[in-house]
Amino acid sequence: DIQMTQSPSTLSASVGDRVTITCRASQDISNWLAWYQQKPGKAPKLLIYKASSLENGVPSRFSGSGSGTEFTLSIGSLQPDDFATYYCQQYYRQRTFGQGTKVEVK
Amino acid sequence: QVTLKESGPVLVKPTETLTLTCTVSGVSLSNPAVGVSWIRQPPGKALEWLAHISSSDEKSYTTSLKSRLTISKDTSKSQVVLTMTNMDPIDTATYYCARIVSHTEADYWGQGTLVTVSS
């Protein structure tokens, strides 16, 4: 199975900060990677697909990059609504989620 | 408007079989670009992908639970069913179904249903 490892597990940041989350795959997954945002008690929300394509309606401060085994999700200027947990997910072979990164208030 | 809704028991006993139904509206399950996945999340823990069924009825399962899972669909009813056998307290989780669009992944999710496994 393909393993996905996110770092950091928790990130403390302030409104206006630029934030970067890393996701590593245990093998080459090309660009078959998605990013989701989840808030407590809610279903995840798709942010990015195919590593760098922004889902409709998602603010442009969110961006994704990478290919192969290393990927990043960046939030250009953190907004109050962005404090949440973020997950990467590969869909190259079956599907696997990372363990999540919680973005909390510093 | 695409919506998905999970339904099933809120409480199951250890060793019992869980059957969950995902009812999809706003899109046909025969659409060649559309599949449905089941994902779960134990309280306070990460998401775990469980199973997927494509428009052409291809099925795939997470390796660790493959022997316990069965996914199926009834296109006429717009429903996808997941069964999980031999339930254990560690299977207590919120179970989600999600629409999977080719190359885009899970763009619509159900609200989730919390299943507790306890005697």
Side-chain angles (χ1 to χ4, degrees):
Chain A
D1 290 7
I2 299 174
Q3 308 302 317
M4 306 301 293
T5 304
Q6 287 181 235
S7 60
S9 296
T10 306
L11 192 159
S12 299
S14 302
V15 172
D17 285 352
R18 178 176 178 82
V19 165
T20 299
I21 298 168
T22 298
C23 179
R24 288 187 174 87
S26 60
Q27 65 184 77
D28 189 339
I29 60 169
S30 185
N31 63 346
W32 299 111
L33 185 100
W35 289 96
Y36 300 88
Q37 176 193 68
Q38 188 181 32
K39 295 182 178 179
K42 300 294 187 182
K45 172 187 174 183
L46 178 66
L47 300 175
I48 302 282
Y49 62 93
K50 285 192 78 178
S52 61
S53 295
L54 196 67
E55 172 69 348
N56 289 339
V58 174
S60 58
R61 63 181 180 273
F62 290 92
S63 64
S65 65
S67 67
T69 61
E70 288 239 357
F71 303 87
T72 59
L73 172 71
S74 296
I75 309 173
S77 175
L78 198 66
Q79 298 301 300
D81 191 48
D82 301 336
F83 292 99
T85 300
Y86 294 84
Y87 293 93
C88 63
Q89 177 229 317
Q90 67 81 17
Y91 50 110
Y92 175 75
R93 182 176 298 129
Q94 297 182 333
R95 288 162 172 86
T96 320
F97 287 94
Q99 81 278 19
T101 295
K102 183 178 181 180
V103 177
E104 63 178 22
V105 177
K106 189 173 183 179
Chain B
Q1 172 89 359
V2 176
T3 62
L4 298 93
K5 186 173 176 65
E6 306 90 351
S7 59
V10 296
L11 180 66
V12 296
K13 291 181 168 54
T15 76
E16 287 185 341
T17 294
L18 171 68
T19 299
L20 293 172
T21 300
C22 176
T23 301
V24 182
S25 60
V27 65
S28 171
L29 294 181
S30 61
N31 184 318
V34 170
V36 173
S37 276
W38 283 94
I39 300 106
R40 73 177 179 179
Q41 186 171 39
K45 296 190 177 181
L47 300 166
E48 179 183 21
W49 175 77
L50 298 176
H52 177 78
I53 190 163
S54 72
S55 59
S56 60
D57 216 38
E58 285 185 46
K59 301 160 188 175
S60 56
Y61 301 97
T62 187
T63 301
S64 62
L65 295 170
K66 187 174 183 178
S67 63
R68 298 174 53 203
L69 294 172
T70 303
I71 191 169
S72 62
K73 68 174 178 176
D74 185 330
T75 302
S76 65
K77 293 183 178 178
S78 287
Q79 291 181 334
V80 175
V81 175
L82 181 76
T83 62
M84 180 181 292
T85 61
N86 195 24
M87 293 292 285
D88 184 273
I90 61 167
D91 296 313
T92 294
T94 296
Y95 287 76
Y96 295 99
C97 61
R99 182 182 88 155
I100 304 295
V101 176
S102 294
H103 305 310
T104 305
E105 275 312 275
D107 61 347
Y108 285 92
W109 294 64
Q111 65 191 20
T113 184
L114 176 62
V115 178
T116 301
V117 184
S118 175
S119 55

